[in-house]
Every structure is written in structure tokens, then in C-alpha cells.
Amino acid sequence: MAKDVTRQENENLAKVAGQIGACSLLPVAKDGHIILRITANFAVKSFVTKDFSVSIGLTQATLRLTHPGFDASQAYQAHIDSDFWAESWAEKKAVHGELSGELGVKTKLAPWLTLGFKAGGGRKQSNEESIKGKRQYQIVKPVPGGWEIGSELGEPRTASGAVKSGMENCLQGGYMSGRNNESGEGLREDGAKGEFVACRLDPREDADDPTISLELVGSAGALKIVIDRKNLDSSVGHFLKSTEDDDKLAKLKQAFIKICYDKAIRDKSRGDNLAGEFFLGRVIRSAPKLARATGAGRARTPRDAGAADQANLTRRS
């Protein structure tokens, strides 16, 4: 039986929780509407203890966008052409999916954490079938209320040996930009040759909330932790330590997600995450004033639209 997570390990996990994923949000006013520049950045992070080294990353994450005063359209999406896939990508991910399912059963995780691993293992076959024979893999997918980045299959572009063994398929670098061989589709800021933007926002009538919020969320099934133990001297020792490491791995995962959960409470993040999800970061912005002015040079806002309509009705009556 592995020891519980130590205070030092908890401190290291807290540091990593603030480093493996981050998001940015910049609303830009245009003629009567707003465009959003959004980026999501990820990294694989590690720390070392007396007995082992620990590496942590994500194969998938979700961006959730809220904008009560606006309607969104022209959401960005992106795929990776098979020319840029690492050779061993599909094979390694299939094995990882199978092991993830076994881990959830063997270590008897808490129900809200086990669910993510069972789902990952249960969809192994469909993952293999979904990529077989295809020329593209969707790396950024628009979904109701935001975007999914990656999938259970993870990041296809990292070659073996480029990162720590076992972490090749974790999300790394920036997404939502159309860069690094990310074939984007959607709205561009300045015509066909401009930079991609995340979406367009148009003010709603009778709405006066200028808040725009972006939240980055991970899930237990997409959380990848690899332990490398030091000084294994025999096959018997290796077997015993491997069994102990599985238990340690489960405790590290639970501790990591609890740290993210506590951070969400401190940051007053939205509380409707699904079971097994955990909070990574949040950005809140106020919508900029739009270019069209009303009255003495004041910019038009969602509230202005409703007021103007009411004034027109009054004058006609």
C-alpha cells in the first residue's frame, strides 16, 4: 500500500495545477460587433521526490465561454492533417486507453474519478476506428458553449523521444491560433489573410450585461500522470513497486483534482462542472464599447439598442 500524498507532494501538485493549462481572452470592438481573440496553452510539467519523478499533462480540455449580453457566431475550429501525425500516435493512444480503463477498476478510485477512466477505456475500440483511414484529426472542435481541444487520442504531432516517455500525446503549446500546422477554419480578423479569431459576438436587444467570461476545464479521464520510480533492483521488487505505484498514482490524481476543485471555490468559478471535471483557469473581461456612437459621442451598448427602440415607439405613438 502506497503512502498518502505528502505535504511536499501536495505543494508540487499545486504548482503544476497552475502550469499545465491556461487561457487568454481579448475582446476587440469592430463595426457594430465584437470579435474574440482566444488562446489556450498547455504544457507537460514534472517534479521529483525522494523515491520517484512525476510528470503530469492533459490529452483533452474544454473552453467554456459565457456572454449573456451577446449572441455568438462563426466559431473557430481546426484539424491536423495526417502528414503531421507522429508515426506511433494511434497505436500508443490505443494502449493508453486500455490501461486507463484497467486502472480505474484496479485501484478503486472514488466514483467521481473512476468514471473518467472507465469512459476512457470503454471507448478504446471506437477511438481506433474513428482515426483509421482518415487524413484529418480535429484538434479544436466547437461545442455548445465553447470548444473542446484534443480528445482521448490527445495530441498527434509529438514524436517519440521529444518529451518524457509516456507523455507524448499530451497537449502542448498554443491552440486556437491556426499556427503550428493547425489548419483553422472560421472568421479572420482582417479578411482572408488576417489572423483567425475565436468567434463573433453581436449585442442582444434588451440585454445590458457586458461580461464575457472564459473558463478552462480538464477532466479525470484526460489527466495523464506518469511515475518513474528510482532504484528498482529485482524483478520481484519491480512487481511489488509497480503495484504500489498504481495506488500512489490514484492518490496523486485524487489530490490533484481536489487542489483544482479548491482553487475553483477560491476563484468563485462557476459551480456546474460535470462529475470528474476540474477547474484550470478563468478570465473575465468587460465588453468594449462599440464603434457606433449614440448621444454625445457615447458608444452604443446592448442597453442602448433597447432604449433606442423604446424611444422610436414613443415618438410614433
Side-chain angles (χ1 to χ4, degrees):
M1 178 67 68
K3 296 180 181 179
D4 291 335
V5 177
T6 67
R7 178 177 177 180
Q8 181 182 7
E9 289 167 350
N10 264 307
E11 291 174 353
N12 285 323
L13 289 171
K15 291 178 182 178
V16 169
Q19 297 171 341
I20 65 169
C23 59
S24 66
L25 167 66
L26 179 63
V28 179
K30 295 294 182 179
D31 185 15
H33 66 275
I34 292 170
I35 60 171
L36 296 184
R37 298 174 186 162
I38 290 175
T39 58
N41 291 280
F42 301 92
V44 173
K45 293 295 181 179
S46 303
F47 63 88
V48 178
T49 71
K50 178 182 177 181
D51 297 320
F52 45 73
S53 64
V54 180
S55 298
I56 304 176
L58 295 165
T59 58
Q60 182 180 25
T62 301
L63 283 169
R64 293 200 177 122
L65 181 68
T66 57
H67 40 83
F70 302 87
D71 291 315
S73 62
Q74 298 178 266
Y76 176 80
Q77 59 183 315
H79 65 267
I80 306 297
D81 290 330
S82 59
D83 293 342
F84 303 106
W85 299 353
E87 286 185 25
S88 57
W89 171 56
E91 178 185 353
K92 286 192 174 182
K93 278 308 297 180
V95 173
H96 169 66
E98 182 179 15
L99 291 177
S100 293
E102 292 172 356
L103 179 64
V105 176
K106 180 166 62 176
T107 55
K108 299 180 181 179
L109 306 182
W112 52 270
L113 186 55
T114 307
L115 178 63
F117 288 104
K118 286 184 177 178
R123 288 194 291 267
K124 169 180 175 285
Q125 185 62 36
S126 62
N127 282 342
E128 290 181 310
E129 293 174 351
S130 68
I131 207 67
K132 194 176 295 182
K134 293 195 175 182
R135 297 286 298 170
Q136 296 178 344
Y137 166 64
Q138 192 164 20
I139 192 72
V140 177
K141 177 182 178 181
V143 295
W147 295 264
E148 286 182 356
I149 300 176
S151 72
E152 291 177 39
L153 295 169
E155 167 58 61
R157 291 166 288 186
T158 307
S160 297
V163 295
K164 189 175 186 65
S165 177
M167 307 301 289
E168 293 89 351
N169 305 125
C170 290
L171 299 173
Q172 296 188 75
Y175 298 80
M176 301 285 292
S177 66
R179 300 172 183 170
N180 190 26
N181 301 318
E182 185 180 292
S183 294
E185 300 175 34
L187 181 65
R188 292 180 183 266
E189 184 166 355
D190 295 309
K193 296 183 179 180
E195 296 287 333
F196 281 108
V197 298
C199 65
R200 167 177 171 149
L201 297 183
D202 289 284
R204 294 175 179 169
E205 294 185 1
D206 302 322
D208 60 0
D209 189 342
T211 304
I212 303 172
S213 174
L214 183 69
E215 182 177 287
L216 181 63
V217 176
S219 68
L223 178 62
K224 197 169 185 180
I225 301 181
V226 171
I227 294 176
D228 285 336
R229 181 173 286 278
K230 304 173 183 177
N231 302 323
L232 291 179
D233 297 327
S234 67
S235 58
V236 175
H238 180 73
F239 175 78
L240 293 175
K241 292 300 183 183
S242 295
T243 302
E244 184 176 317
D245 287 351
D246 285 346
D247 185 49
K248 185 66 174 183
L249 178 62
K251 291 179 178 179
L252 287 172
K253 287 178 182 287
Q254 289 176 307
F256 181 90
I257 294 175
K258 184 179 185 305
I259 287 168
C260 294
Y261 177 79
D262 291 343
K263 175 177 170 57
I265 294 176
R266 291 195 304 271
D267 293 353
K268 298 181 179 179
S269 172
R270 54 189 288 175
D272 56 351
N273 290 343
L274 300 175
E277 290 186 338
F278 53 86
F279 171 83
L280 289 169
R282 191 186 191 196
V283 183
I284 302 175
R285 297 284 184 262
S286 184
K289 295 180 179 180
L290 299 180
R292 288 184 295 174
T294 61
R298 183 171 61 84
R300 184 179 177 86
T301 67
R303 177 180 286 178
D304 291 329
D309 291 342
Q310 183 61 43
N312 288 335
L313 289 173
T314 302
R315 283 195 294 270
R316 283 198 293 270
S317 62

